[in-house]
Amino acid sequence: MAARPKVAFFEFTSCEGCQLTVVDSLQTYPELLEAVEIVRFREAMSNTPSGDDYLIAFIEGSCTRPSDEAAIKAIRQQAKIVVALGACAHLGGINAIRNRSDLEETRRFVYGDKADWYETYPARPIEKVIPVDAVLPGCPIDRHEFIRAVKALLQGRMPVIPDYPVCVECKLKENVCVYLRGRTCLGPIARAGCDAICPTFGDGCEGCRGLIPQPNIASLKQVLGEHGLSLEQTMAKMTLFLTYQTMEREAVGDGKANA
Ligand code: SF4
Ligand code: SF4
Ligand code: SF4
């Protein structure tokens, strides 16, 4: 029997909810456990990791401390394929909200007189530290997309994620748009792939899968305003998951054109 590819899971700054979703996915598709050998998965393994020999590394969480960098780079050196798992790893996630605030002030607010105990710097996606081969967006990841991604990797293909907006999936599901129900939604600028799960259950999209290429943010802000959101509420909506991406766009001038 051919050796099964070795897979490892790593976590940095995160809630580990994406790894829990992996556990849930594997309960639904246990046959995948026969196709790979998991050598490191703190969230799910009771035995100690069986070494630093792995082919595929899934990294959950963003990089928020100088001391994370060496560990992330070591993973890149070992793994042939590195996949960023979830919004924290893909986009900096909700950790990046603080990137718009004074870091020292935030640290004192969170840790009080123990602030000096904890090193920190602005949150970054994993791809800002090392090259990554693929990303699985979402907070948490979509379990079906995770399974598709593993199958693709086992077949020697890279996982492909949609580059169209959530609205496309939402319309295909024949949902009534939440804007018609007096709610708001980032579906027009957010990357699809979650089967529009939030609007399907009556809630607006918060953009956890990140921006589509060339999003029309200016128009969406106008629509949000027309549907009763104040500037502060619009900014809050745009910063839950999109802080890192919008700050990057502002840095190169795109944000101004589209603000
Ligand atoms: S993306 Fe969301 S669910 Fe996944 S680790 Fe980050 S906060 Fe948790
Ligand atoms: S509910 Fe959201 S995702 Fe669905 S069509 Fe309306 S704006 Fe688009
Ligand atoms: S609808 Fe939006 S917030 Fe909900 S899972 Fe999909 S991308 Fe994330």
Side-chain angles (χ1 to χ4, degrees):
M1 184 176 147
R4 294 173 293 161
K6 292 182 178 173
V7 176
F9 291 85
F10 298 89
E11 55 286 320
F12 291 89
T13 304
S14 62
C15 78
E16 301 194 17
C18 287
Q19 289 191 75
L20 278 178
T21 307
V22 170
V23 173
D24 190 41
S25 311
L26 293 174
Q27 283 177 335
T28 313
Y29 298 91
E31 63 273 19
L32 268 188
L33 289 170
E34 291 166 23
V36 299
E37 181 184 350
I38 298 178
V39 298
R40 190 190 186 285
F41 196 172
R42 187 173 67 82
E43 188 82 25
M45 289 169 78
S46 50
N47 52 341
T48 48
S50 51
D52 285 330
D53 173 21
Y54 44 86
L55 182 77
I56 304 170
F58 288 96
I59 302 183
E60 179 195 61
S62 54
C63 180
T64 62
R65 299 179 298 187
S67 60
D68 286 341
E69 290 189 23
I72 294 170
K73 286 174 183 166
I75 296 167
R76 178 68 276 182
Q77 276 200 317
Q78 171 58 38
K80 187 167 176 216
I81 298 166
V82 173
V83 182
L85 192 69
C88 295
H90 171 212
L91 305 169
I94 55 173
N95 306 315
I97 293 173
R98 67 186 192 179
N99 291 5
R100 284 206 187 268
S101 308
D102 180 85
L103 195 57
E104 201 46 41
E105 205 177 296
T106 306
R107 204 154 62 118
R108 301 257 159 228
F109 183 81
V110 174
Y111 298 114
D113 61 1
K114 308 288 185 303
D116 292 338
W117 292 12
Y118 302 98
E119 56 161 344
T120 190
Y121 62 16
R124 287 185 294 162
I126 297 301
E127 70 169 11
K128 299 299 173 184
V129 184
I130 55 168
V132 303
D133 302 295
V135 297
L136 291 178
C139 179
I141 55 165
D142 180 270
R143 66 202 67 197
H144 304 294
E145 193 171 51
F146 171 75
I147 296 295
R148 281 198 303 276
V150 174
K151 285 181 180 170
L153 291 171
L154 291 174
Q155 292 165 352
R157 297 180 288 117
M158 280 300 149
V160 176
I161 55 172
D163 61 0
Y164 47 83
V166 172
C167 285
V168 172
E169 288 176 338
C170 191
K171 287 295 172 199
L172 285 170
K173 296 193 83 168
E174 301 185 1
N175 292 334
V176 174
C177 181
V178 300
Y179 279 101
L180 298 176
R181 293 175 165 162
R183 304 185 73 109
T184 55
C185 180
L186 297 186
I189 59 167
R191 187 184 292 275
C194 56
D195 215 14
I197 187 166
C198 300
T200 300
F201 286 92
D203 214 352
C205 170
E206 300 287 353
C208 79
R209 294 176 56 87
L211 295 168
I212 50 167
Q214 300 179 318
N216 193 338
I217 294 175
S219 288
L220 187 73
K221 282 184 176 172
Q222 189 183 333
V223 170
L224 291 173
E226 286 166 5
H227 283 77
L229 259 60
S230 65
L231 189 58
E232 287 73 24
Q233 288 169 323
T234 298
M235 288 313 293
K237 209 168 179 62
M238 298 293 296
T239 49
L240 184 57
F241 290 106
L242 302 178
T243 298
Y244 196 92
Q245 280 185 305
T246 49
M247 285 181 78
E248 254 191 337
R249 290 167 56 81
E250 286 163 11
V252 296
D254 278 11
K256 282 200 190 104
N258 232 343

